[in-house]
């Protein structure tokens, strides 16, 4: 019987090193460079030694920002801890996210609490990004790809004689928003048992743009505590993680509301065991969230409490069975239940908001049950293939709703909508059939090609199907697009089905040491893409914005990514030098009329020169973004000008301590974020007159971090 090494990702010890990253078709996460050498299409992530190049938390307290340098990933700006990632133009719920194996859903009509907001960058051990053609074993109910984030691996003592005591303390300061992150970790382990704790804080005031103006409602404060327990046997490992997190407040410059509280408890348990026949990976997760929106600062004043209670729980089972020397079979089953209550308590003395509670989503439920089979085959030393099929069955429902005042003439449109909603059968079920077929061909020792096809399906989320309010205000409260438009759902929405083809051409030197160049063209046709139709315009009180209803409309997205890296020098005077570059171009169109899709990043590139010499690591980086002239006119998406930013960073390792310093946007350039939506907070603080502008990015920030390991 062959010996398959226990290769569960969560027990690989890897540290994330944001660099400039190469995409791969199957996307095995070149977030850290060492992972780049992986034999595709395997999904193993090898142990990566921390090389201390750049600390995750140095430049941002938002874990999503760690993905900004990945050529397939862009960020739709939201709160300072809650940017919404997008993979090749497909955002948010179209991506499958897991955090330590837990499938986490935003419990908020503005998606203020996306999956990555539940882990601080200081606690990220590894990130995997699968873009586009994603193995079916990496999850269903998603069309863009998969992002898996894991905490640092649990460590055990090497032998029975010693106890392994580890700890670290880190602190980061960012000048642009007086941002402060601090984290401590401690663990004690023998050979079989490991116990660990971590805790910390991420907080900041609102940041300033390149003109020196404050960007209102960009402040935040988060606290967290995590406990871990690990048990290890000869061929098995059990991991338990218990987490509590409170976001005390978080501003949203491009939303009408802010977060005034988000309290979550999470339990994840993983079990991996190696058998004669292969390997079993099992995990269960449970997360409970209490979310509150409202107003907390003079930067965006108001009164309107909105509460959301959300739960996510489920399990996953995976079996890896080597059926012969050449073939590895993966089988799996997973289940995920989301429950959601979204309700808006009355505001005392308010004519519009009372006397009853507005029930936005009442007893919402979304269940998904999935099974898959995947075969990975190495036919010859040159040819590798991966074939997978997956079925997900989804069931959704929501209970009766009500407006603030069922008798008020002023709320007639909400009351009519509530009556119609309550009279309908709202139970919906969808069946997804997903397919993935890819091949890799090593044409020679200096080039290879990977290519493939995937069919992937996503069902609407609870807000897309079950938000029902038709009054201006009720609609203005829904939407995670940073455009302050009004949105309403549609019970009859169909799932989105993406058919994607893509290929990665890879050229490198024979030893894979000196240089590498990749090009990845891709094309996706998305049947029943969930876009919007305009159904009206809100009144003056809500700022005369478009009122939109989610609707299925075919769309296509295509583009090109390229990456390059090359060794520049290697000598005793200047150490080692390396240049890395990547660029990406994305185009998204509605099929019927050629309209531009919303939130598509314009042409952009990143070039960095890095030097390593002894304990020093230094880098100079240029970020170039072209102007955004193709905008979604239906949502009144703002156009933005092109820009270039220069960033510097440096780190020095001294025994157990490391100092990190960065200067981001060194020339304090003013620029607007192409995916930032509108700068609503600043516009409304100035009286809400005139047109809404695009959200500006951060001006120059000097960031300093100190990390001590013991
Ligand atoms: Cu919210």
């Amino acid at each position: 019987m062959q010996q398959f090494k226990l290769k569960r990702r969560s027990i690989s010890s890897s540290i994330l090193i944001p660099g400039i990253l190469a995409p791969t078709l199957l996307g095995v996460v070149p977030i850290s460079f060492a992972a780049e050498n992986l034999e595709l299409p395997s999904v193993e992530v090898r142990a990566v030694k921390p090389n201390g190049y750049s600390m995750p938390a140095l430049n941002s307290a938002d874990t999503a920002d760690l993905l900004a340098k990945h050529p397939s990933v862009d960020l739709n700006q939201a709160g300072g801890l809650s940017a919404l990632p997008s993979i090749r133009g497909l955002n948010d719920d179209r991506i499958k996210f897991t955090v330590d194996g837990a499938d986490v859903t935003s419990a908020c009509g503005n998606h203020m609490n996306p999956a990555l907001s539940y882990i601080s960058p200081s606690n990220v051990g590894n990130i995997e990004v699968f873009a586009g053609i994603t193995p079916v074993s990496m999850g269903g109910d998603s069309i863009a790809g998969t992002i898996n984030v894991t905490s640092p691996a649990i460590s055990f003592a090497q032998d029975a004689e010693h106890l392994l005591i580890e700890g670290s303390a880190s602190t980061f300061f960012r000048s642009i928003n007086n941002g402060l992150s601090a984290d401590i970790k401690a663990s004690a382990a023998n050979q079989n048992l490991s116990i660990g704790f971590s805790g910390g804080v991420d907080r900041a005031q609102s940041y300033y743009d390149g003109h020196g103006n404050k960007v209102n409602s960009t402040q935040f404060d988060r606290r967290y505590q995590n406990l871990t327990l690990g048990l290890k046997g000869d061929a098995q490992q059990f991991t338990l993680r218990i987490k509590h997190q409170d976001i005390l407040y978080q501003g949203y410059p491009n939303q009408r509301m802010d977060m005034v509280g988000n309290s979550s408890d999470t339990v994840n348990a993983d079990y991996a065991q190696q058998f004669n026949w292969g390997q079993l990976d099992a995990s269960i997760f449970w997360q409970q969230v209490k979310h509150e929106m409202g107003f907390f600062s003079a930067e965006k004043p108001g009164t309107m409490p909105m509460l959301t209670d959300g739960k996510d729980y489920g399990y996953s089972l995976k079996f890896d069975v080597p059926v012969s020397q050449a073939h590895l079979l993966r089988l799996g089953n997973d289940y995920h239940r989301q429950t959601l209550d979204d309700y808006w308590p009355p505001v005392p003395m308010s004519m519009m908001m009372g006397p009853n509670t507005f029930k936005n989503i009442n007893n919402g439920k979304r269940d998904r049950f999935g099974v898959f089979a995947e075969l990975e085959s190495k036919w010859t030393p040159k040819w590798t293939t991966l074939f997978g099929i997956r079925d997900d069955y989804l069931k959704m429902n929501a209970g009766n709703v009500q407006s603030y005042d069922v008798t008020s003439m002023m709320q007639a449109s909400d009351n009519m909508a509530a009556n119609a909603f309550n009279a309908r059968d709202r139970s919906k079920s969808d069946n997804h059939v997903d397919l993935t077929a890819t091949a890799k061909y090593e044409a020679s020792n200096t080039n290879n090609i990977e290519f493939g096809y995937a069919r992937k399906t996503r069902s609407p989320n609870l807000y897309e199907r079950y938000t029902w309010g038709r009054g201006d205000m009720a609609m203005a409260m829904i939407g995670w697009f940073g455009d302050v438009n009004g949105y309403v759902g549609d019970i009859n929405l169909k799932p989105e089905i993406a058919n994607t083809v893509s290929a990665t051409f890879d050229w490198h030197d024979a030893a894979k040491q000196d240089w590498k160049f990749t090009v990845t063209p891709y094309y996706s046709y998305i049947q029943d893409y969930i876009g919007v139709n305009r159904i009206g315009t809100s009144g003056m009180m809500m700022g005369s914005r478009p009122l939109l209803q989610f609707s299925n409309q075919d769309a296509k997205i295509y583009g090109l990514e390229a990456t390059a890296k090359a060794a520049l020098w290697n000598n005793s005077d200047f150490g080692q030098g390396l240049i890395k570059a990547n660029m990406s171009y994305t185009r998204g169109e509605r099929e019927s009329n050629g309209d531009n899709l919303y939130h598509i990043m314009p042409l952009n590139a990143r070039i960095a020169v890095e030097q390593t010499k002894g304990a020093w690591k230094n880098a100079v980086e240029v970020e170039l973004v072209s102007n955004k002239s193709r905008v979604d006119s239906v949502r009144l998406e703002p156009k933005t000008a092109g820009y270039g930013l220069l960033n510097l960073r440096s780190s020095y390792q001294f025994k157990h301590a490391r100092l990190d310093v960065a200067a981001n946007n060194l020339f304090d350039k003013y620029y607007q974020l192409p995916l930032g939506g509108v700068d609503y907070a600043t516009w409304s603080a100035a009286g809400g007159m005139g047109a809404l502008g695009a959200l500006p990015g951060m001006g120059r920030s000097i960031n300093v971090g100190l990390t001590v390991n013991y």
Side-chain angles (χ1 to χ4, degrees):
M1 202 63 204
Q2 302 160 59
Q3 286 299 302
F4 257 72
K5 265 192 69 189
L6 208 64
K7 57 174 186 180
R8 185 160 171 75
R9 288 178 303 283
S10 61
I11 53 178
S12 71
S13 67
S14 33
I15 284 274
L16 174 128
I17 302 134
I20 289 188
L21 315 156
T24 59
L25 182 58
L26 290 167
V28 177
V29 207
I31 265 287
S32 49
F33 260 113
E36 203 177 274
N37 306 322
L38 291 176
E39 281 304 312
L40 296 171
S42 154
V43 293
E44 177 186 359
V45 171
R46 287 196 191 137
V48 180
K49 282 270 177 266
N51 82 352
Y53 190 74
S54 160
M55 268 310 280
L58 177 63
N59 290 325
S60 172
D62 187 352
T63 291
D65 278 328
L66 300 176
L67 297 160
K69 294 180 182 183
H70 193 290
S72 307
V73 181
D74 299 306
L75 299 176
N76 302 347
Q77 279 75 26
L81 300 169
S82 298
L84 299 169
S86 151
I87 295 180
R88 294 179 182 161
L90 295 168
N91 68 333
D92 194 28
D93 279 356
R94 296 183 169 114
I95 303 170
K96 179 181 166 79
F97 290 95
T98 67
V99 178
D100 286 322
D103 226 327
V104 179
T105 322
S106 292
C108 165
N110 300 156
H111 287 198
M112 288 179 168
N113 43 18
L116 300 187
S117 68
Y118 290 103
I119 184 166
S120 168
S122 299
N123 273 271
V124 171
N126 194 56
I127 300 186
E128 292 178 298
V129 177
F130 296 84
I133 297 175
T134 306
V136 294
S137 56
M138 289 294 113
D141 195 24
S142 54
I143 59 173
T146 299
I147 296 177
N148 297 327
V149 180
T150 42
S151 300
I154 291 178
S155 39
F156 294 90
Q158 296 273 347
D159 52 54
E161 274 75 65
H162 297 93
L163 266 185
L164 179 68
I165 308 285
E166 289 182 312
S168 71
S170 64
T171 181
F172 299 93
F173 173 76
R174 309 170 197 100
S175 70
I176 194 67
N177 54 8
N178 285 324
L180 178 77
S181 291
D183 177 87
I184 54 163
K185 294 184 180 63
S187 66
N190 65 21
Q191 246 182 323
N192 305 109
L193 172 70
S194 176
I195 296 170
F197 166 83
S198 70
V201 56
D202 293 298
R203 57 182 304 182
Q205 298 165 357
S206 288
Y207 70 79
Y208 288 80
D209 66 21
H211 286 153
N213 296 321
K214 187 198 274 188
V215 180
N216 280 347
S217 271
T218 53
Q219 69 280 61
F220 54 82
D221 192 332
R222 162 169 67 196
R223 318 282 166 91
Y224 57 86
Q225 296 106 40
N226 307 321
L227 282 171
T228 53
L229 169 74
L231 296 167
K232 191 172 140 188
D234 288 339
Q236 54 188 318
Q237 182 168 332
F238 172 78
T239 307
L240 176 70
R241 296 181 194 273
I242 301 172
K243 308 178 193 180
H244 178 77
Q245 177 179 284
D246 283 301
I247 297 179
L248 306 181
Y249 56 83
Q250 183 176 194
Y252 288 75
N254 54 12
Q255 289 288 357
R256 293 174 187 271
M257 309 288 289
D258 286 330
M259 176 191 279
V260 296
N262 197 85
S263 177
S264 61
D265 292 290
T266 312
V267 181
N268 304 315
D270 287 320
Y271 178 73
Q273 184 170 4
Q274 192 188 329
F275 296 93
N276 286 337
W277 49 262
Q279 184 178 324
L280 163 71
D281 286 317
S283 68
I284 56 171
F285 64 92
W286 176 89
Q287 174 159 303
Q288 176 172 286
V289 178
K290 291 208 171 290
H291 170 70
E292 183 174 0
M293 292 203 283
F295 301 92
F296 66 87
S297 94
E299 293 178 25
K300 193 201 277 175
T303 309
M304 181 177 180
M306 301 169 72
L307 305 175
T308 313
D309 300 332
K311 270 188 198 141
D312 288 288
Y313 50 95
Y315 69 82
S316 125
L317 288 170
K318 286 187 187 183
F319 304 89
D320 280 16
V321 186
V323 286
S324 73
Q325 200 70 37
H327 303 286
L328 174 64
L329 178 68
R330 291 194 188 93
L331 299 170
N333 162 227
D334 38 52
Y335 171 71
H336 175 200
R337 164 169 272 207
Q338 178 198 4
T339 65
L340 186 75
D341 282 291
D342 185 323
Y343 52 101
W344 311 344
V347 176
M349 310 300 288
S350 166
M351 290 280 286
M352 290 297 294
M353 295 179 276
N356 302 313
T357 293
F358 188 106
K359 291 184 183 173
N360 185 33
I361 292 191
N362 176 27
N363 201 14
K365 285 192 179 71
R366 193 176 188 278
D367 290 278
R368 183 187 58 75
F369 183 85
V371 289
F372 68 84
E374 186 172 274
L375 185 67
E376 184 181 326
S377 308
K378 197 158 181 72
W379 300 97
T380 71
K382 286 177 182 291
W383 276 102
T384 313
T385 60
L386 180 75
F387 296 104
I389 181 164
R390 168 171 192 111
D391 187 276
D392 286 280
Y393 178 74
L394 271 103
K395 209 165 158 35
M396 295 167 68
N397 208 345
N400 283 353
V401 296
Q402 72 177 27
S403 79
Y404 280 115
D405 186 348
V406 294
T407 59
S408 167
M409 282 305 289
M410 279 157 66
Q411 300 188 28
S413 43
D414 281 338
N415 288 327
M416 269 170 60
N419 291 338
F421 184 90
N422 291 340
R424 298 221 10 214
D425 175 17
R426 297 172 299 270
S427 166
K428 283 281 166 189
S429 58
D430 305 314
N431 195 51
H432 304 173
V433 179
D434 288 1
L435 301 168
T436 298
T438 62
K440 181 177 181 182
Y441 177 62
E442 302 265 357
S444 75
N445 61 357
T446 58
N447 66 73
N448 60 56
I449 172 175
E450 301 162 45
F451 54 95
Y453 161 79
R455 172 193 152 104
K456 301 200 33 99
T457 317
R458 174 187 81 99
S459 278
N461 64 41
L462 290 170
Y463 288 98
E464 286 165 332
R465 257 188 182 147
Y466 296 127
T467 47
W468 55 273
R470 294 301 279 265
D472 286 4
M473 192 187 67
M475 288 186 71
M477 295 299 116
I478 309 303
W480 43 98
F481 308 96
D483 58 9
V484 301
N485 297 331
Y487 288 82
V488 65
D490 178 1
I491 295 173
N492 286 332
L493 281 178
K494 288 179 285 202
E496 303 175 313
I497 301 173
N499 288 279
T500 304
V501 285
S502 105
T504 295
F505 302 88
D506 182 332
W507 293 270
H508 45 260
D509 64 299
K512 295 189 179 179
Q513 297 280 321
D514 293 335
W515 62 274
K516 181 180 169 81
F517 178 67
T518 71
V519 179
T520 305
Y522 60 89
Y523 178 92
S524 280
Y525 188 92
I526 304 136
Q527 194 186 329
D528 292 322
Y529 176 86
I530 298 177
V532 291
N533 276 334
R534 185 160 180 167
I535 56 170
T537 305
S538 65
M540 281 303 288
M541 219 180 88
M542 300 319 289
S544 301
R545 297 294 292 182
L547 297 177
L548 308 164
Q549 180 164 35
F550 293 113
S551 96
N552 291 113
Q553 30 196 250
D554 294 353
K556 58 190 176 197
I557 296 188
Y558 52 92
L560 185 79
E561 289 163 9
T563 71
K565 73 171 180 174
L568 291 181
W569 68 82
N570 189 353
N571 57 47
S572 53
D573 289 346
F574 298 101
Q576 289 149 7
L578 186 69
I579 186 166
K580 298 180 196 169
N582 65 41
M583 64 76 68
S584 69
Y585 171 79
T586 315
R587 185 85 179 87
E589 291 170 38
R590 185 168 165 179
E591 180 64 21
S592 64
N593 56 10
D595 275 3
N596 299 310
L597 296 186
Y598 187 61
H599 265 159
I600 299 290
M601 187 70 180
L603 176 68
N604 64 93
R606 209 177 264 267
I607 304 158
V609 174
E610 300 178 356
Q611 180 202 26
T612 308
K613 184 173 190 292
W616 283 100
K617 299 185 192 284
N618 307 304
V620 182
E621 179 186 74
V622 179
E623 222 178 304
L624 299 167
V625 178
S626 149
N627 66 316
K628 183 172 168 73
S629 55
R630 289 192 170 114
V631 292
D632 181 348
S633 53
V634 178
R635 303 199 208 212
L636 306 184
E637 185 176 22
K639 293 184 176 181
T640 53
Y643 58 89
L645 305 178
L646 183 72
N647 307 320
L648 305 177
R649 55 181 187 267
S650 202
S651 76
Y652 183 75
Q653 180 87 38
F654 180 76
K655 292 185 177 166
H656 295 291
R658 200 180 65 241
L659 182 68
D660 289 280
V661 183
N664 288 337
N665 189 1
L666 184 69
F667 296 121
D668 207 12
K669 169 106 182 144
Y670 175 86
Y671 66 104
Q672 294 177 323
L673 295 157
L675 307 181
V678 293
D679 187 5
Y680 172 79
T682 301
W683 173 84
S684 71
M689 305 301 282
L692 274 156
L695 183 69
M698 287 184 182
R700 176 175 48 232
S701 188
I702 306 299
N703 305 337
V704 183
L706 183 67
T707 305
V708 181
N709 291 292
Y710 50 92

